[in-house]
Amino acid sequence: MGDVPLASLSLTHVHYNPHDPLSFLSAWLALVPQGLCVAYVTLIWASREAEVILMFAGQMGCEALNFVLKRIIKEERPKQILGKGYGMPSSHAQFMVYLAIYAGLFLVFRHTPVIVRSGAALHFLVRVLLALVLCLGAGAVAGSRIYLNYHTPRQVLAGCGAGAVCAFAWFFVTRLLRVHGWIDWVLDQDIVRWFRVRDLLVSEDLVEAGWQQWEAKRKLSRRGSSDHPSTKSE
């Protein structure tokens, strides 16, 4: 093994200045898209929600577009960095901006839960704040690519633009799929039903709905315990 040249797994290999705390933070921000992909798969497996699947499908389409654009434009990365592949547009920026805008559009315009714990106005405000936090996070990741010299500002701006176009376009497409009943048609297919795919996220706050079910179950359990003969005084 000592004579075999070793290769680096560049998927998580990030160059940064160890003496610069901001460079160190930027290196961690560079890993956010990989972490979000794990979160996507986890959410899909755990919730089986159609909206999460649609969002992830658009995310993968956005990544495919980035792959194609890089090989059409063929613009090199900044000379100061040893990064592999082409740099135009930035895939990190494109990934994060798509996620932030699509999720923000969903939270503000499509997510209308019936069960609202603290009132509709407060719930809507929370959703708007979450959308803003997502945009700030996308900006931080995009900025980190410039700070680490993996991309030029122009490459990052191009990635942001491509991600925004993908997000708005896919949100419009998924709206048409819902309006014309294609989502319901797919959900009625036997193979989809076998995987227990559902479409509750649009009309329900899953945390609140789950909590209400838990509370109802607990009340029944307490009522059953109080009615049990062994708990009554003789």
Side-chain angles (χ1 to χ4, degrees), residues 157-177:
L157 287 175
C160 292
V165 170
C166 287
F168 281 109
W170 186 238
F171 190 80
F172 178 72
V173 169
T174 55
R175 180 183 180 278
L176 290 180
L177 292 175

Side-chain angles (χ1 to χ4, degrees), residues 86-127:
Y86 299 114
M88 172 66 88
S90 166
S91 59
H92 277 70
Q94 188 169 330
F95 184 103
M96 292 302 300
V97 169
Y98 165 86
L99 182 142
I101 292 181
Y102 187 96
L105 289 171
F106 170 77
L107 289 170
V108 175
F109 296 106
R110 184 173 292 170
H111 184 46
T112 54
V114 176
I115 301 173
V116 179
R117 186 175 183 179
S118 302
L122 180 59
H123 197 270
F124 179 77
L125 178 60
V126 170
R127 301 201 314 261

Side-chain angles (χ1 to χ4, degrees), residues 58-68 91-92 94-95 166:
Q59 189 84 70
M60 293 298 97
C62 186
E63 285 294 288
L65 176 64
N66 181 268
F67 181 87
V68 172
S91 59
H92 277 70
Q94 188 169 330
F95 184 103
C166 287

Side-chain angles (χ1 to χ4, degrees), residues 5-199:
L6 301 178
S8 172
L9 182 61
S10 59
L11 180 65
T12 58
H13 191 79
V14 183
H15 292 91
Y16 72 98
N17 181 359
H19 304 293
D20 182 358
L22 192 54
S23 181
F24 179 69
L25 175 61
S26 296
W28 278 103
L29 288 172
L31 302 179
V32 169
Q34 288 92 329
L36 287 172
C37 284
V38 175
Y40 265 126
V41 175
T42 303
L43 280 172
I44 290 171
W45 179 257
S47 70
R48 314 298 173 93
E49 277 293 329
E51 188 64 33
V52 181
I53 297 172
L54 287 171
M55 184 175 173
F56 184 58
Q59 189 84 70
M60 293 298 97
C62 186
E63 285 294 288
L65 176 64
N66 181 268
F67 181 87
V68 172
L69 288 176
K70 281 187 174 181
R71 280 147 187 82
I72 292 175
I73 301 172
K74 296 182 178 180
E75 183 173 300
E76 299 295 333
R77 294 178 183 270
K79 300 299 182 183
Q80 306 97 308
I81 199 64
L82 301 175
K84 297 179 181 179
Y86 299 114
M88 172 66 88
S90 166
S91 59
H92 277 70
Q94 188 169 330
F95 184 103
M96 292 302 300
V97 169
Y98 165 86
L99 182 142
I101 292 181
Y102 187 96
L105 289 171
F106 170 77
L107 289 170
V108 175
F109 296 106
R110 184 173 292 170
H111 184 46
T112 54
V114 176
I115 301 173
V116 179
R117 186 175 183 179
S118 302
L122 180 59
H123 197 270
F124 179 77
L125 178 60
V126 170
R127 301 201 314 261
V128 171
L129 290 175
L130 283 174
L132 292 175
V133 169
L134 287 170
C135 290
L136 290 174
V141 173
S144 72
R145 306 306 289 168
I146 300 173
Y147 194 83
L148 292 173
N149 290 316
Y150 272 89
H151 293 282
T152 64
R154 192 165 69 104
Q155 292 170 351
V156 168
L157 287 175
C160 292
V165 170
C166 287
F168 281 109
W170 186 238
F171 190 80
F172 178 72
V173 169
T174 55
R175 180 183 180 278
L176 290 180
L177 292 175
R178 288 186 176 280
V179 169
H180 294 287
W182 286 102
I183 301 296
D184 291 333
W185 180 82
V186 171
L187 293 176
D188 285 336
Q189 302 308 303
D190 291 339
I191 183 66
V192 179
R193 290 175 58 81
W194 188 83
F195 279 104
R196 299 294 191 267
V197 179
R198 61 189 188 180
D199 193 25

Side-chain angles (χ1 to χ4, degrees), residues 171-234:
F171 190 80
F172 178 72
V173 169
T174 55
R175 180 183 180 278
L176 290 180
L177 292 175
R178 288 186 176 280
V179 169
H180 294 287
W182 286 102
I183 301 296
D184 291 333
W185 180 82
V186 171
L187 293 176
D188 285 336
Q189 302 308 303
D190 291 339
I191 183 66
V192 179
R193 290 175 58 81
W194 188 83
F195 279 104
R196 299 294 191 267
V197 179
R198 61 189 188 180
D199 193 25
L200 293 175
L201 190 59
V202 173
S203 58
E204 285 195 11
D205 183 327
L206 297 184
V207 174
E208 183 66 21
W211 174 254
Q212 294 290 346
Q213 292 177 18
W214 168 248
E215 283 289 274
K217 182 178 180 180
R218 292 287 291 168
K219 286 180 182 178
L220 287 174
S221 177
R222 293 190 188 101
R223 188 178 304 168
S225 298
S226 63
D227 292 341
H228 196 277
S230 62
T231 62
K232 295 180 180 180
S233 58
E234 297 180 0

